[in-house]
Amino acid sequence: MESRRMRPWAALGVLGLIGTLSACQKPVEPVDEVRPVRTQVIAPQVVSGQAELTGVVRARIESPLSFRIAGKLVERSVDAGSRVAAGQALARLDPADASLSATAAAAALSAARTQLAQAKLDHQRATDLLAKNFVSKAEVDRSQTALNAAQDMLRQAEAQAKLAGNQAAYSVLHSDAAGVVTQVSAEPGQVLAAGQPVLVLARDGAREVEVAVPENLRGTLKVGQALQVKLWAVNGKTFSGTVRELAPAADASSRTFPARVTLADADGAVQLGMSASVLLPTAGKSEAAHLPLTALLDQNGQKKLWRYDPASHKVGSIPVKVVSVTDDGFLADGVAPGTVVVTAGVHLLREGQTVRLIASGVAAAKPGV
């Protein structure tokens, strides 16, 4: 039994040998990953001050259509996106109540006419009897008063009958002008109050771009000012526009000033709801470098670029100011000319990381390389 057990001095020798071997091994140093990147040399160019406001194409006149009387909606013949003509029937209320009111008004009118005819006969009879001294003058005066009252009641009944007839016609909602239905807010079976919107009609005619102007650009706009409007859905085509409306007070929630820009040369390609950019000139000119969007790094709301050091082949972050965003990139300000910045793979880099250029040499680097 004793021969199978390891003696204490032997166990200590084994542990000492393991410790000696561990001390002889060198620590493994982590290998810094070298990432390939593309670079571009900053070459500023003079650009005119210009801002772009994003807006939506709307109709000059957008009318919420509603019934003039209350009732139950039994039919709606159009949907959102339907094109309608002037005078076209769009929706209909249950006509039962309006028909009963028209019938009652017609009966009241007939009764008023009968009463007027009787009052005329009574007055004529009283006048004839007065000539023969069979009645007093007071009786003739009473008949004259009754005749005047009957005439007034007839005029009232005629007005009530006309009103009831109009209300019966109001049970059908017609389009005031040609246009397109942009919104529907009532369905058949719904009981509507008088004046409750049923749908919104965008009338044919002038087209406008609705934009929200920030506070810092409010002073650069004025009513009647000519602007350029770009529509992205029409291959970026530019149209001429004029500021027609500019709110004098900011919106309470967005703190922006609503404005409307009328398109002077809008054609059939301009459709409602298209996205548009209103090009707003600003004061002065500045020097900015054009870079692809892949070069921009956003860290906690701060815009940065990765600067490449040709001597150490390492990168470091530098702050940058975005002047504006273009079709194929952005204009950057605040970076010294000749600085080499990374234009691809910026989200995979870290401060002081060693990189490898995909292009052959920094001196030969060109924009986008």
Side-chain angles (χ1 to χ4, degrees):
M1 295 295 295
E2 293 182 359
S3 61
R4 293 182 181 181
R5 293 180 180 178
M6 182 177 293
R7 292 174 178 165
W9 61 267
L12 292 175
V14 173
L15 293 175
L17 180 60
I18 293 175
T20 303
L21 293 176
S22 301
C24 294
Q25 293 180 353
K26 295 182 179 180
V28 180
E29 297 181 357
V31 179
D32 190 9
E33 182 181 4
V34 179
R35 290 193 175 278
V37 295
R38 293 183 182 274
T39 58
Q40 176 177 328
V41 180
I42 295 295
Q45 55 185 351
V46 178
V47 295
S48 299
Q50 181 173 275
E52 292 190 12
L53 301 178
T54 303
V56 179
V57 176
R58 307 287 293 269
R60 170 72 178 272
I61 301 178
E62 294 180 339
S63 305
L65 302 184
S66 59
F67 291 98
R68 300 188 186 185
I69 59 175
K72 180 179 180 181
L73 183 64
V74 295
E75 180 184 355
R76 179 172 52 78
S77 57
V78 294
D79 296 310
S82 300
R83 172 161 291 279
V84 300
Q88 178 179 340
L90 307 178
R92 185 170 58 89
L93 295 177
D94 185 357
D97 293 341
S99 298
L100 291 175
S101 297
T103 302
L109 176 60
S110 179
R113 288 172 178 168
T114 303
Q115 290 178 0
L116 177 60
Q118 182 62 45
K120 288 181 178 180
L121 292 175
D122 293 343
H123 179 64
Q124 183 63 41
R125 185 177 298 111
T127 303
D128 294 342
L129 293 176
L130 177 62
K132 299 177 182 180
N133 294 323
F134 289 160
V135 295
S136 64
K137 184 66 170 60
E139 184 65 25
V140 175
D141 293 340
R142 281 193 294 270
S143 65
Q144 182 63 50
T145 302
L147 177 60
N148 295 337
Q151 291 174 342
D152 292 338
M153 292 180 62
L154 177 61
R155 284 194 291 269
Q156 180 183 2
E158 289 175 344
Q160 291 291 342
K162 187 175 181 180
L163 177 60
N166 289 341
Q167 290 183 337
Y170 294 157
S171 61
V172 179
L173 180 63
H174 294 88
S175 174
D176 296 334
V180 178
V181 178
T182 60
Q183 182 180 347
V184 172
S185 53
E187 298 295 337
Q190 184 175 351
V191 177
L192 305 176
Q196 181 177 344
V198 177
L199 50 87
V200 177
L201 177 67
R203 297 190 180 189
D204 291 341
R207 293 292 181 256
E208 297 181 339
V209 177
E210 185 181 40
V211 295
V213 183
E215 294 181 356
N216 61 329
L217 298 178
R218 172 63 175 80
T220 62
L221 274 183
K222 61 181 180 179
V223 176
Q225 180 178 349
L227 297 173
Q228 297 295 316
V229 179
K230 183 183 296 184
L231 297 183
W232 300 105
V234 195
N235 298 323
K237 183 178 178 180
T238 302
F239 296 83
S240 300
T242 304
V243 180
R244 181 185 65 86
E245 181 182 292
L246 181 59
D251 182 81
S253 57
S254 64
R255 305 308 305 166
T256 57
F257 295 83
R260 288 262 188 160
V261 179
T262 302
L263 299 178
D265 51 355
D267 51 24
V270 180
Q271 301 294 328
L272 297 175
M274 283 184 172
S275 298
S277 293
V278 177
L279 307 181
L280 180 62
T282 57
K285 296 183 178 181
S286 62
E287 289 189 353
H290 186 271
L291 294 171
L293 287 174
T294 54
L296 187 61
L297 179 67
D298 191 341
Q299 291 183 337
N300 299 326
Q302 297 182 350
K303 305 295 188 297
K304 296 182 179 181
L305 297 175
W306 286 114
R307 177 174 57 188
Y308 171 74
D309 184 6
S312 62
H313 302 287
K314 295 183 178 182
V315 294
S317 61
I318 56 174
V320 66
K321 179 182 178 181
V322 178
V323 178
S324 64
V325 179
T326 62
D327 298 348
D328 55 351
F330 69 99
L331 295 177
D333 190 15
V335 185
T339 303
V340 183
V341 297
V342 177
T343 59
V346 296
H347 298 286
L348 302 176
L349 301 178
R350 65 177 182 275
E351 198 74 32
Q353 185 175 0
T354 303
V355 297
R356 174 175 57 85
L357 300 186
I358 296 179
S360 58
V362 176
K366 296 181 180 180
V369 178

